[in-house]
Amino acid sequence: MKFLFIKLVRGYQKYISPGLPPSCRYYPTCSTYMIDALKKHGWLKGTIMGCSRILRCNPFVRGGVDPVPDNFTVLRNKHPENYEDDIIARKFHP
């Protein structure tokens, strides 16, 4: 089931997203977050986490680095400074 959801998100990334202006306030992007959450937590929890991330991605939040946490949660990652890509993390948290 999770492979079907991943294919749907990849289809969005390939066919729909290029026609829209870039608007995601987070890194990784919401669609990449959804795929990572699906891979890490399965189709049900991953879909819930991805949808809650999409709801958090709006003009009223600052954004920044928000990788998929190891434990299931619908809240933002509390420690983005632990993100493995130091260059990206420093961009958002100097």
Side-chain angles (χ1 to χ4, degrees):
M1 189 70 145
K2 76 177 176 181
F3 297 109
L4 173 65
F5 283 96
I6 291 172
K7 288 281 188 192
L8 289 171
V9 176
R10 294 251 188 243
Y12 164 80
Q13 288 177 328
K14 186 174 183 180
Y15 297 110
I16 297 172
S17 182
L20 301 173
S23 60
C24 190
R25 299 178 174 278
Y26 290 105
Y27 183 88
T29 63
C30 292
S31 57
T32 303
Y33 183 96
M34 175 75 88
I35 290 171
D36 292 346
L38 287 166
K39 287 179 180 178
K40 191 178 273 191
H41 297 286
W43 75 271
L44 181 60
K45 289 181 180 178
T47 302
I48 293 169
M49 290 178 74
C51 290
S52 70
R53 165 70 178 275
I54 291 169
L55 291 173
R56 285 194 313 263
C57 189
N58 62 64
F60 303 108
V61 296
R62 183 171 163 231
V65 177
D66 183 29
V68 177
D70 292 331
N71 299 323
F72 172 77
T73 180
V74 294
L75 304 175
R76 183 176 176 161
N77 192 343
K78 293 184 188 318
H79 299 287
E81 66 274 3
N82 295 336
Y83 194 63
E84 57 269 0
D85 192 340
D86 290 332
I87 295 169
I88 305 259
R90 274 184 272 153
K91 177 181 173 186
F92 290 100
H93 301 283

Coordinates of all heavy atoms in Angstrom, one line a residue:
M1 N 0.8 -1.2 0.0 CA 0.0 0.0 0.0 C 0.9 1.3 0.0 O 0.6 2.2 -0.7 CB -0.9 0.0 1.2 CG -2.0 1.0 1.2 SD -3.2 0.8 0.0 CE -4.6 1.4 0.8
K2 N 2.0 1.2 0.8 CA 2.8 2.4 0.9 C 3.4 2.7 -0.5 O 3.6 3.9 -0.8 CB 3.8 2.4 2.0 CG 5.0 1.5 1.7 CD 6.0 1.6 2.9 CE 7.1 0.6 2.7 NZ 8.0 0.7 3.8
F3 N 3.7 1.7 -1.3 CA 4.3 1.9 -2.6 C 3.3 2.7 -3.5 O 3.8 3.5 -4.3 CB 4.7 0.6 -3.2 CG 5.8 -0.1 -2.4 CD1 5.5 -1.2 -1.7 CD2 7.1 0.4 -2.3 CE1 6.5 -1.9 -0.9 CE2 8.1 -0.2 -1.6 CZ 7.8 -1.3 -0.9
L4 N 2.0 2.4 -3.4 CA 1.0 3.1 -4.2 C 1.0 4.6 -3.8 O 1.0 5.5 -4.7 CB -0.3 2.5 -3.9 CG -1.5 3.3 -4.6 CD1 -1.4 3.3 -6.1 CD2 -2.8 2.7 -4.1
F5 N 1.1 4.9 -2.5 CA 1.1 6.3 -2.0 C 2.4 7.0 -2.5 O 2.4 8.2 -2.9 CB 1.0 6.4 -0.5 CG -0.4 6.2 -0.1 CD1 -0.9 4.9 0.4 CD2 -1.3 7.2 0.0 CE1 -2.2 4.8 0.8 CE2 -2.6 7.1 0.4 CZ -3.1 5.8 0.8
I6 N 3.5 6.3 -2.4 CA 4.8 6.9 -2.9 C 4.7 7.2 -4.4 O 5.2 8.2 -4.8 CB 6.0 5.9 -2.6 CG1 6.2 5.9 -1.1 CG2 7.2 6.3 -3.3 CD1 7.2 4.8 -0.6
K7 N 4.1 6.3 -5.2 CA 4.0 6.5 -6.6 C 3.1 7.7 -6.9 O 3.4 8.5 -7.8 CB 3.3 5.3 -7.3 CG 4.3 4.1 -7.4 CD 5.2 4.3 -8.6 CE 6.0 3.1 -8.8 NZ 7.1 3.3 -9.7
L8 N 2.0 7.9 -6.1 CA 1.2 9.1 -6.2 C 1.9 10.4 -6.0 O 1.8 11.4 -6.7 CB 0.0 9.0 -5.3 CG -1.1 7.9 -5.7 CD1 -2.1 7.8 -4.6 CD2 -1.8 8.3 -7.0
V9 N 2.7 10.4 -4.9 CA 3.5 11.6 -4.6 C 4.6 11.8 -5.6 O 4.8 13.0 -6.0 CB 4.2 11.4 -3.2 CG1 5.0 12.6 -2.9 CG2 3.1 11.3 -2.1
R10 N 5.2 10.8 -6.1 CA 6.2 10.9 -7.2 C 5.6 11.5 -8.5 O 6.1 12.3 -9.2 CB 6.9 9.6 -7.5 CG 7.8 9.1 -6.4 CD 9.2 9.2 -6.7 NE 10.0 8.5 -5.7 CZ 10.8 9.1 -4.9 NH1 11.0 10.4 -5.0 NH2 11.5 8.4 -4.0
G11 N 4.3 11.0 -8.7 CA 3.6 11.6 -9.9 C 3.3 13.1 -9.7 O 3.5 13.9 -10.6
Y12 N 3.0 13.5 -8.5 CA 2.8 14.9 -8.2 C 4.1 15.6 -8.4 O 4.1 16.7 -9.0 CB 2.3 15.1 -6.7 CG 2.4 16.5 -6.2 CD1 1.5 17.4 -6.6 CD2 3.5 16.8 -5.5 CE1 1.6 18.7 -6.2 CE2 3.7 18.1 -5.0 CZ 2.7 19.1 -5.4 OH 2.9 20.4 -5.0
Q13 N 5.2 15.1 -7.9 CA 6.5 15.8 -8.0 C 6.9 15.9 -9.5 O 7.5 16.9 -9.9 CB 7.6 15.0 -7.3 CG 7.5 15.1 -5.8 CD 8.6 14.2 -5.1 OE1 9.0 13.2 -5.6 NE2 9.0 14.7 -4.0
K14 N 6.5 14.9 -10.3 CA 7.0 14.9 -11.7 C 6.1 15.8 -12.6 O 6.5 16.5 -13.5 CB 7.1 13.5 -12.2 CG 7.7 13.4 -13.6 CD 7.9 12.0 -14.0 CE 8.5 11.9 -15.4 NZ 8.8 10.5 -15.8
Y15 N 4.8 15.7 -12.4 CA 3.8 16.2 -13.4 C 3.1 17.5 -12.9 O 2.8 18.4 -13.7 CB 2.8 15.2 -13.8 CG 3.4 14.0 -14.5 CD1 3.4 12.8 -13.8 CD2 3.9 14.1 -15.7 CE1 4.0 11.7 -14.4 CE2 4.5 13.0 -16.3 CZ 4.5 11.8 -15.7 OH 5.1 10.7 -16.3
I16 N 2.8 17.6 -11.6 CA 2.1 18.8 -11.1 C 3.0 19.9 -10.6 O 2.8 21.0 -10.9 CB 1.0 18.3 -10.1 CG1 0.0 17.4 -10.8 CG2 0.3 19.5 -9.5 CD1 -0.9 16.7 -9.8
S17 N 3.9 19.5 -9.7 CA 4.7 20.4 -9.0 C 5.5 21.4 -9.9 O 5.7 22.6 -9.6 CB 5.7 19.7 -8.0 OG 6.5 20.6 -7.3
P18 N 6.1 20.9 -11.0 CA 6.9 21.8 -11.9 C 6.0 22.9 -12.5 O 6.6 24.0 -12.8 CB 7.4 20.9 -13.0 CG 7.4 19.5 -12.5 CD 6.2 19.5 -11.5
G19 N 4.7 22.8 -12.6 CA 3.9 23.9 -13.1 C 3.4 24.9 -12.0 O 2.8 25.8 -12.3
L20 N 3.8 24.6 -10.8 CA 3.4 25.5 -9.7 C 4.6 26.3 -9.2 O 5.8 25.8 -9.2 CB 2.8 24.7 -8.5 CG 1.6 23.8 -8.8 CD1 1.3 22.9 -7.6 CD2 0.4 24.7 -9.2
P21 N 4.4 27.5 -8.7 CA 5.6 28.2 -8.1 C 6.0 27.5 -6.8 O 5.2 27.0 -6.1 CB 5.0 29.6 -7.8 CG 3.5 29.4 -7.7 CD 3.2 28.2 -8.6
P22 N 7.4 27.6 -6.5 CA 7.9 27.0 -5.3 C 7.3 27.7 -4.1 O 7.4 28.9 -4.0 CB 9.4 27.2 -5.4 CG 9.6 28.1 -6.5 CD 8.4 28.2 -7.3
S23 N 6.7 27.0 -3.2 CA 6.0 27.6 -2.0 C 6.3 26.9 -0.7 O 5.8 27.4 0.3 CB 4.5 27.7 -2.3 OG 4.0 26.5 -2.5
C24 N 7.0 25.8 -0.7 CA 7.2 25.1 0.5 C 8.2 25.8 1.4 O 9.2 26.3 1.0 CB 7.7 23.7 0.3 SG 7.7 22.6 1.8
R25 N 7.8 26.0 2.7 CA 8.6 26.7 3.6 C 9.6 25.8 4.4 O 10.3 26.3 5.3 CB 7.7 27.4 4.6 CG 6.8 28.4 3.9 CD 5.9 29.1 4.9 NE 5.1 30.1 4.3 CZ 5.5 31.3 4.0 NH1 6.7 31.7 4.4 NH2 4.8 32.2 3.4
Y26 N 9.6 24.6 4.1 CA 10.4 23.6 4.9 C 11.5 22.9 4.0 O 11.3 22.9 2.8 CB 9.6 22.5 5.5 CG 8.7 23.0 6.7 CD1 7.3 23.2 6.5 CD2 9.2 23.3 7.9 CE1 6.5 23.6 7.5 CE2 8.4 23.7 9.0 CZ 7.1 23.8 8.8 OH 6.3 24.2 9.8
Y27 N 12.5 22.4 4.7 CA 13.4 21.5 4.0 C 13.5 20.2 4.8 O 13.7 20.3 6.0 CB 14.8 22.1 3.9 CG 15.7 21.1 3.1 CD1 15.8 21.2 1.7 CD2 16.4 20.2 3.8 CE1 16.6 20.3 1.0 CE2 17.2 19.3 3.1 CZ 17.3 19.4 1.7 OH 18.1 18.5 1.0
P28 N 13.3 19.1 4.3 CA 12.9 18.8 2.9 C 11.5 19.2 2.6 O 10.7 19.5 3.5 CB 13.0 17.3 2.8 CG 12.9 16.8 4.2 CD 13.4 17.9 5.1
T29 N 11.2 19.3 1.3 CA 9.9 19.8 0.9 C 8.8 18.9 1.4 O 9.1 17.7 1.8 CB 9.8 19.9 -0.7 OG1 9.9 18.6 -1.2 CG2 10.8 20.8 -1.3
C30 N 7.6 19.3 1.4 CA 6.5 18.6 1.9 C 6.3 17.2 1.2 O 6.0 16.2 1.8 CB 5.2 19.4 1.9 SG 5.2 20.8 3.0
S31 N 6.5 17.2 -0.1 CA 6.3 16.0 -0.9 C 7.4 15.0 -0.5 O 7.2 13.8 -0.4 CB 6.3 16.3 -2.4 OG 7.4 16.9 -2.8
T32 N 8.7 15.5 -0.4 CA 9.8 14.6 0.0 C 9.6 14.1 1.4 O 9.8 13.0 1.7 CB 11.1 15.4 -0.1 OG1 11.2 15.8 -1.5 CG2 12.3 14.5 0.2
Y33 N 9.1 15.0 2.3 CA 8.7 14.6 3.7 C 7.7 13.5 3.7 O 7.8 12.5 4.4 CB 8.2 15.8 4.4 CG 7.9 15.6 5.9 CD1 8.8 15.9 6.9 CD2 6.7 15.0 6.3 CE1 8.6 15.7 8.2 CE2 6.4 14.8 7.6 CZ 7.3 15.2 8.6 OH 7.1 15.0 9.9
M34 N 6.7 13.6 2.8 CA 5.7 12.6 2.8 C 6.3 11.2 2.4 O 6.0 10.2 3.0 CB 4.6 13.0 1.8 CG 3.5 11.9 1.5 SD 2.3 11.8 2.9 CE 1.1 13.0 2.4
I35 N 7.1 11.2 1.4 CA 7.8 10.0 0.9 C 8.6 9.4 2.0 O 8.6 8.2 2.3 CB 8.6 10.2 -0.4 CG1 7.6 10.5 -1.5 CG2 9.5 9.0 -0.7 CD1 8.3 10.9 -2.8
D36 N 9.4 10.2 2.7 CA 10.3 9.8 3.8 C 9.4 9.2 4.9 O 9.8 8.2 5.5 CB 11.2 10.9 4.3 CG 12.2 11.3 3.3 OD1 12.4 10.6 2.3 OD2 12.8 12.4 3.5
A37 N 8.3 9.9 5.2 CA 7.5 9.4 6.3 C 6.8 8.1 5.9 O 6.7 7.2 6.8 CB 6.4 10.4 6.6
L38 N 6.4 7.9 4.7 CA 5.8 6.7 4.2 C 6.8 5.5 4.3 O 6.5 4.4 4.8 CB 5.3 6.8 2.8 CG 4.0 7.6 2.6 CD1 3.9 8.0 1.1 CD2 2.8 6.9 3.2
K39 N 8.1 5.8 3.9 CA 9.1 4.8 4.0 C 9.4 4.4 5.4 O 9.7 3.2 5.7 CB 10.4 5.3 3.3 CG 10.2 5.3 1.8 CD 11.5 5.8 1.2 CE 11.4 5.9 -0.3 NZ 12.7 6.4 -1.0
K40 N 9.5 5.4 6.3 CA 9.9 5.1 7.7 C 8.8 4.6 8.6 O 9.1 3.8 9.5 CB 10.5 6.5 8.3 CG 11.2 6.3 9.6 CD 11.8 7.6 10.1 CE 13.1 7.8 9.5 NZ 13.9 8.9 10.1
H41 N 7.6 5.1 8.4 CA 6.5 4.7 9.3 C 5.3 3.9 8.7 O 4.4 3.7 9.4 CB 5.9 6.0 9.9 CG 7.0 6.7 10.7 ND1 7.4 6.3 12.0 CD2 7.7 7.9 10.5 CE1 8.3 7.2 12.4 NE2 8.5 8.1 11.6
G42 N 5.4 3.6 7.4 CA 4.3 2.8 6.8 C 3.2 3.7 6.3 O 3.3 5.0 6.4
W43 N 2.3 3.1 5.6 CA 1.3 4.0 4.8 C 0.4 4.7 5.7 O 0.1 5.9 5.4 CB 0.6 3.1 3.8 CG -0.5 2.2 4.4 CD1 -0.3 1.0 4.8 CD2 -1.9 2.6 4.5 NE1 -1.5 0.5 5.3 CE2 -2.5 1.5 5.1 CE3 -2.6 3.7 4.3 CZ2 -3.8 1.5 5.5 CZ3 -4.0 3.7 4.6 CH2 -4.5 2.6 5.2
L44 N -0.1 4.2 6.8 CA -1.1 4.9 7.6 C -0.5 6.1 8.4 O -0.8 7.2 8.2 CB -1.8 3.9 8.5 CG -2.9 4.6 9.4 CD1 -4.0 5.2 8.5 CD2 -3.5 3.6 10.3
K45 N 0.5 5.7 9.2 CA 1.2 6.8 10.0 C 1.9 7.8 9.1 O 2.0 8.9 9.4 CB 2.2 6.1 11.0 CG 1.5 5.4 12.1 CD 2.5 4.8 13.1 CE 1.8 4.1 14.2 NZ 2.8 3.5 15.1
G46 N 2.5 7.3 8.0 CA 3.3 8.1 7.1 C 2.3 9.1 6.4 O 2.7 10.3 6.3
T47 N 1.1 8.7 6.1 CA 0.2 9.6 5.4 C -0.3 10.6 6.4 O -0.5 11.8 6.1 CB -1.0 8.8 4.9 OG1 -0.6 7.8 3.9 CG2 -2.1 9.7 4.2
I48 N -0.6 10.2 7.7 CA -1.0 11.1 8.7 C 0.1 12.2 9.0 O -0.2 13.4 9.0 CB -1.3 10.4 10.0 CG1 -2.6 9.6 9.8 CG2 -1.5 11.4 11.2 CD1 -2.9 8.6 10.9
M49 N 1.4 11.7 9.1 CA 2.5 12.7 9.3 C 2.6 13.6 8.1 O 2.8 14.8 8.3 CB 3.8 11.9 9.5 CG 3.8 11.2 10.8 SD 5.3 10.3 11.1 CE 6.5 11.6 11.4
G50 N 2.5 13.1 6.9 CA 2.7 13.9 5.7 C 1.6 15.0 5.6 O 1.8 16.1 5.2
C51 N 0.3 14.6 5.9 CA -0.8 15.5 5.8 C -0.7 16.6 6.9 O -1.0 17.7 6.6 CB -2.1 14.8 5.9 SG -2.5 13.8 4.5
S52 N -0.2 16.2 8.1 CA -0.1 17.2 9.1 C 1.1 18.2 8.8 O 1.0 19.4 9.0 CB 0.2 16.6 10.5 OG 1.5 16.0 10.5
R53 N 2.1 17.7 8.1 CA 3.2 18.6 7.6 C 2.6 19.6 6.6 O 2.9 20.8 6.6 CB 4.3 17.7 7.0 CG 5.3 18.5 6.2 CD 6.2 19.4 7.1 NE 7.2 20.1 6.2 CZ 8.3 19.5 5.9 NH1 8.7 18.4 6.4 NH2 9.1 20.2 5.1
I54 N 1.8 19.1 5.6 CA 1.2 20.0 4.6 C 0.4 21.0 5.3 O 0.4 22.2 4.9 CB 0.4 19.1 3.6 CG1 1.4 18.3 2.8 CG2 -0.4 20.0 2.7 CD1 0.7 17.2 1.9
L55 N -0.4 20.7 6.3 CA -1.2 21.7 7.0 C -0.3 22.7 7.8 O -0.7 23.8 7.9 CB -2.1 21.0 8.0 CG -3.2 20.1 7.4 CD1 -4.0 19.4 8.5 CD2 -4.2 21.0 6.6
R56 N 0.9 22.3 8.2 CA 1.8 23.2 8.9 C 2.5 24.2 7.9 O 3.0 25.2 8.3 CB 2.9 22.4 9.6 CG 2.4 21.8 10.9 CD 3.6 21.3 11.7 NE 4.7 20.6 11.0 CZ 4.8 19.3 11.0 NH1 3.9 18.5 11.6 NH2 5.8 18.7 10.4
C57 N 2.5 23.8 6.6 CA 3.2 24.6 5.6 C 2.3 25.7 5.1 O 1.6 25.5 4.2 CB 3.7 23.7 4.5 SG 4.8 24.5 3.3
N58 N 2.3 26.8 5.8 CA 1.4 27.9 5.4 C 2.2 29.2 5.6 O 3.2 29.3 6.2 CB 0.1 27.8 6.2 CG 0.3 28.0 7.6 OD1 0.7 29.0 8.1 ND2 0.0 26.9 8.4
P59 N 1.6 30.3 5.1 CA 2.3 31.6 5.3 C 2.5 32.1 6.7 O 3.2 33.1 6.9 CB 1.4 32.6 4.5 CG 0.6 31.8 3.6 CD 0.4 30.4 4.3
F60 N 1.8 31.5 7.7 CA 1.9 32.0 9.1 C 3.0 31.3 9.9 O 3.2 31.6 11.0 CB 0.6 31.8 9.8 CG -0.5 32.5 9.0 CD1 -1.5 31.7 8.3 CD2 -0.6 33.8 9.0 CE1 -2.5 32.4 7.7 CE2 -1.7 34.5 8.4 CZ -2.6 33.8 7.7
V61 N 3.8 30.4 9.2 CA 4.9 29.8 9.9 C 6.2 30.2 9.3 O 6.3 30.5 8.1 CB 4.8 28.2 9.9 CG1 3.6 27.8 10.7 CG2 4.8 27.7 8.5
R62 N 7.3 30.1 10.1 CA 8.6 30.5 9.6 C 9.2 29.4 8.7 O 9.9 29.8 7.7 CB 9.5 30.7 10.8 CG 10.9 31.2 10.4 CD 11.6 31.6 11.7 NE 13.0 31.7 11.4 CZ 14.0 31.1 12.1 NH1 13.7 30.4 13.1 NH2 15.2 31.2 11.7
G63 N 8.9 28.2 8.9 CA 9.5 27.1 8.1 C 10.9 26.7 8.7 O 11.1 26.8 9.9
G64 N 11.7 26.2 7.8 CA 13.1 25.7 8.2 C 13.3 24.3 8.0 O 12.5 23.6 7.3
V65 N 14.3 23.7 8.7 CA 14.6 22.3 8.5 C 13.7 21.5 9.4 O 13.5 21.8 10.6 CB 16.1 22.1 8.9 CG1 16.4 20.6 8.9 CG2 17.0 22.8 8.0
D66 N 13.0 20.5 8.8 CA 12.1 19.7 9.6 C 12.1 18.3 9.0 O 11.2 17.9 8.3 CB 10.7 20.3 9.5 CG 9.6 19.5 10.3 OD1 10.0 18.9 11.3 OD2 8.5 19.5 9.9
P67 N 13.1 17.5 9.3 CA 13.2 16.1 8.8 C 12.1 15.2 9.5 O 11.6 15.6 10.5 CB 14.6 15.7 9.1 CG 15.0 16.5 10.3 CD 14.3 17.8 10.1
V68 N 11.9 14.1 8.9 CA 11.0 13.1 9.5 C 11.6 12.5 10.8 O 12.7 12.0 10.7 CB 10.7 11.9 8.5 CG1 9.8 10.9 9.1 CG2 10.0 12.5 7.2
P69 N 10.9 12.6 11.9 CA 11.5 12.1 13.2 C 11.4 10.6 13.2 O 10.6 10.0 12.4 CB 10.6 12.7 14.2 CG 9.3 13.1 13.6 CD 9.7 13.4 12.1
D70 N 12.2 10.0 14.1 CA 12.2 8.5 14.2 C 10.9 8.0 14.8 O 10.5 6.9 14.5 CB 13.4 8.0 15.0 CG 14.7 8.3 14.2 OD1 14.7 8.3 13.0 OD2 15.7 8.5 14.9
N71 N 10.3 8.8 15.7 CA 9.0 8.4 16.3 C 7.8 9.1 15.7 O 8.0 10.2 15.2 CB 9.1 8.7 17.8 CG 10.2 8.0 18.5 OD1 10.5 6.9 18.2 ND2 10.8 8.7 19.5
F72 N 6.7 8.4 15.7 CA 5.5 8.9 15.1 C 5.0 10.2 15.9 O 4.9 10.1 17.1 CB 4.4 7.9 15.0 CG 3.1 8.5 14.6 CD1 2.8 8.7 13.3 CD2 2.1 8.7 15.6 CE1 1.6 9.2 12.9 CE2 0.9 9.3 15.2 CZ 0.6 9.5 13.9
T73 N 4.8 11.3 15.2 CA 4.3 12.5 15.8 C 3.7 13.3 14.6 O 4.1 13.3 13.5 CB 5.3 13.3 16.5 OG1 4.7 14.4 17.1 CG2 6.5 13.7 15.6
V74 N 2.7 14.2 15.0 CA 2.1 15.1 14.0 C 2.7 16.5 14.3 O 2.3 17.4 13.6 CB 0.6 15.1 14.0 CG1 0.1 13.8 13.6 CG2 0.1 15.5 15.4
L75 N 3.6 16.6 15.2 CA 4.2 17.9 15.5 C 5.5 18.1 14.8 O 6.1 17.1 14.3 CB 4.5 18.0 17.0 CG 3.2 17.8 17.9 CD1 3.6 17.8 19.4 CD2 2.2 18.9 17.7
R76 N 6.0 19.3 14.7 CA 7.3 19.6 14.1 C 8.4 19.0 14.9 O 8.4 18.8 16.1 CB 7.4 21.1 14.0 CG 8.7 21.6 13.3 CD 8.7 23.0 13.2 NE 10.0 23.4 12.6 CZ 10.3 24.5 12.1 NH1 9.4 25.5 12.0 NH2 11.4 24.8 11.5
N77 N 9.5 18.6 14.1 CA 10.7 18.0 14.7 C 11.3 19.0 15.7 O 11.6 20.1 15.4 CB 11.7 17.7 13.6 CG 12.8 16.8 14.1 OD1 13.0 16.7 15.3 ND2 13.5 16.2 13.2
K78 N 11.4 18.6 17.0 CA 11.9 19.6 18.0 C 13.4 19.9 17.9 O 13.9 20.9 18.4 CB 11.6 19.0 19.4 CG 10.1 18.9 19.7 CD 9.9 18.4 21.1 CE 8.5 18.1 21.5 NZ 7.5 19.0 21.1
H79 N 14.2 19.0 17.3 CA 15.6 19.2 17.2 C 16.1 19.1 15.7 O 16.8 18.2 15.4 CB 16.3 18.1 18.0 CG 16.0 18.2 19.5 ND1 16.4 19.2 20.3 CD2 15.2 17.4 20.2 CE1 15.9 19.1 21.5 NE2 15.2 18.0 21.5
P80 N 15.8 20.1 14.9 CA 16.3 20.1 13.5 C 17.8 20.3 13.4 O 18.4 20.0 12.4 CB 15.5 21.2 12.9 CG 15.2 22.1 14.0 CD 15.0 21.3 15.2
E81 N 18.4 20.8 14.5 CA 19.8 21.0 14.4 C 20.6 19.6 14.4 O 21.8 19.6 14.0 CB 20.3 21.8 15.7 CG 20.2 21.1 17.0 CD 18.8 21.3 17.6 OE1 17.9 21.9 17.0 OE2 18.6 20.8 18.7
N82 N 19.9 18.5 14.7 CA 20.5 17.2 14.5 C 20.4 16.6 13.1 O 20.7 15.5 12.9 CB 19.8 16.2 15.5 CG 20.1 16.6 17.0 OD1 21.0 17.3 17.3 ND2 19.2 16.2 17.8
Y83 N 19.9 17.5 12.2 CA 19.8 17.0 10.8 C 21.1 16.6 10.2 O 22.1 17.3 10.5 CB 19.1 18.1 10.0 CG 18.6 17.6 8.7 CD1 17.6 16.6 8.6 CD2 19.1 18.1 7.5 CE1 17.2 16.2 7.4 CE2 18.7 17.7 6.3 CZ 17.7 16.7 6.2 OH 17.2 16.2 5.0
E84 N 21.2 15.5 9.5 CA 22.5 15.0 9.0 C 23.2 15.9 8.0 O 24.4 15.8 7.8 CB 22.3 13.6 8.5 CG 21.3 13.4 7.4 CD 19.9 13.1 7.8 OE1 19.7 13.0 9.0 OE2 19.1 13.0 7.0
D85 N 22.5 16.7 7.3 CA 23.1 17.6 6.3 C 23.4 19.0 6.9 O 22.6 19.8 7.0 CB 22.1 17.8 5.1 CG 22.8 18.4 3.9 OD1 23.9 19.1 4.1 OD2 22.3 18.3 2.8
D86 N 24.6 19.1 7.4 CA 25.0 20.3 8.1 C 24.9 21.6 7.3 O 24.6 22.6 7.8 CB 26.5 20.2 8.6 CG 26.6 19.2 9.7 OD1 25.6 18.9 10.4 OD2 27.7 18.6 9.9
I87 N 25.2 21.5 6.0 CA 25.1 22.7 5.2 C 23.7 23.2 5.1 O 23.5 24.4 5.3 CB 25.6 22.4 3.8 CG1 27.1 22.0 3.8 CG2 25.4 23.6 2.8 CD1 27.7 21.5 2.6
I88 N 22.7 22.4 5.0 CA 21.3 22.8 4.9 C 20.9 23.3 6.3 O 20.2 24.3 6.4 CB 20.4 21.6 4.5 CG1 20.9 21.1 3.2 CG2 19.0 22.0 4.5 CD1 20.3 21.4 2.0
A89 N 21.3 22.6 7.4 CA 20.9 22.9 8.7 C 21.4 24.3 9.1 O 20.7 25.1 9.7 CB 21.4 21.9 9.7
R90 N 22.6 24.6 8.7 CA 23.2 26.0 8.9 C 22.5 27.1 8.2 O 22.4 28.2 8.7 CB 24.7 26.0 8.6 CG 25.5 25.5 9.8 CD 27.0 25.6 9.5 NE 27.3 24.3 8.8 CZ 28.3 24.2 8.0 NH1 29.1 25.1 7.7 NH2 28.5 23.0 7.5
K91 N 21.9 26.7 7.0 CA 21.2 27.7 6.3 C 20.0 28.2 7.1 O 19.6 29.4 7.0 CB 20.7 27.1 5.0 CG 19.9 28.1 4.1 CD 19.4 27.4 2.8 CE 18.5 28.2 2.1 NZ 17.9 27.6 0.9
F92 N 19.3 27.4 7.8 CA 18.1 27.7 8.5 C 18.4 28.0 10.0 O 17.7 28.7 10.6 CB 17.1 26.6 8.5 CG 16.5 26.4 7.1 CD1 16.9 25.4 6.2 CD2 15.5 27.3 6.7 CE1 16.3 25.3 5.0 CE2 14.9 27.1 5.4 CZ 15.3 26.1 4.6
H93 N 19.5 27.5 10.5 CA 19.8 27.7 11.9 C 21.3 28.1 12.0 O 22.2 27.3 12.4 CB 19.6 26.4 12.8 CG 18.2 26.0 12.7 ND1 17.2 26.6 13.5 CD2 17.6 25.0 12.0 CE1 16.1 26.0 13.2 NE2 16.3 25.0 12.4
P94 N 21.6 29.4 11.7 CA 23.0 29.8 11.7 C 23.7 29.8 13.1 O 23.1 29.8 14.1 CB 23.0 31.3 11.2 CG 21.5 31.7 11.2 CD 20.7 30.4 11.4

